[in-house]
């Protein structure tokens, strides 16, 4: 089986269509593939409870996860009442991206009852399966820590610390984070959703010929409102 795809630009709009094609031993004389306007997906931004108002400046978008659907991005403007709508979304798989102010995070995102961080948005035959509900929160977990030299115990400044959900998928990469350690080797991640994470540290090399120094990955589990501390050790080369 094959996936046949086509795209067409019409002024400022991009139309994309995909069709599954089964090929057997018999010859195919012709194939007809039709362009449609795509589907509209309505949604709403909510706070964790009635007393929590989400921030005003929010950006929402969908990015394709299929290689043959590259370019079929969708974005929407969030109104003051929290509602938004993606227009003319073509068939294919998409990951959700939500841009919020510092201190806020996406607690949950569901499309017709399905967890978008598990399954993403799947548009098939011009249908997406419901409306989108995104819940934001400002009461997340926190992970702080220090990166040190494994042998000498001295802090390592400028190390890049990465925090990714475990397992990471194309649909939950929005929840990945990266930061750098300060002069005391310290780092801090705030406003994190509960979940299982994989944490690594890397010290970039000063020259392309020398590889970067990486730590062994560590796995942690954060619950709602939890604050955890973590120490990461790097095996730095000996200096004369």
């Amino acid at each position: 089986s094959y996936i046949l795809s086509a795209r067409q630009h019409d002024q400022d709009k991009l139309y994309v269509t995909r069709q599954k094609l089964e090929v057997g031993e018999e010859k195919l004389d012709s194939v007809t593939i039709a362009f449609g306007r795509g589907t509209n997906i309505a949604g709403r931004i909510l706070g964790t409870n009635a007393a929590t108002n989400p921030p005003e400046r929010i950006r929402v978008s969908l990015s394709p996860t299929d290689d043959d659907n590259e370019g079929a991005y969708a974005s929407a403007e969030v109104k003051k009442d929290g509602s938004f709508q993606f227009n003319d979304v073509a068939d294919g798989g998409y990951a959700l991206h939500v841009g919020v102010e510092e201190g806020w995070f996406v607690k949950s995102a569901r499309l017709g009852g399905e967890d978008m961080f598990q399954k993403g948005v799947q548009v098939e035959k011009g249908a997406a399966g419901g409306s989108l509900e995104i819940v934001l929160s400002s009461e997340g977990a926190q992970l702080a820590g220090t990166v040190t030299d494994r042998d000498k115990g001295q802090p390592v400044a400028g190390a890049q610390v990465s925090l990714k959900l475990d397992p990471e998928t194309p649909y939950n990469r929005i929840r990945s984070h990266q930061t750098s350690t300060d002069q005391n080797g310290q780092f801090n991640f705030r406003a994190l959703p509960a979940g299982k994470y994989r944490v690594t540290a890397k010290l970039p090399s000063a020259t392309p010929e020398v590889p970067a120094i990486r730590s062994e990955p560590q796995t942690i589990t954060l619950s709602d409102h939890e604050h955890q501390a973590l120490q990461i050790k790097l095996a730095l080369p000996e200096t004369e």
Side-chain angles (χ1 to χ4, degrees), residues 142-193:
Q142 180 177 345
L143 175 67
T146 307
V147 179
T148 60
D149 183 337
R150 185 184 64 184
D151 297 325
K152 298 180 180 180
Q154 297 177 344
V156 178
Q160 298 174 355
V161 183
S162 297
L163 180 73
K164 299 180 180 181
L165 279 174
D166 187 17
E168 185 183 47
T169 72
Y171 307 123
N172 65 23
R173 285 175 183 162
I174 183 180
R175 292 182 164 179
S176 297
H177 300 273
Q178 182 170 301
T179 190
S180 297
T181 57
D182 61 18
Q183 61 183 2
N184 298 315
Q186 297 178 346
F187 64 89
N188 198 345
F189 293 104
R190 297 182 177 89
L192 298 173

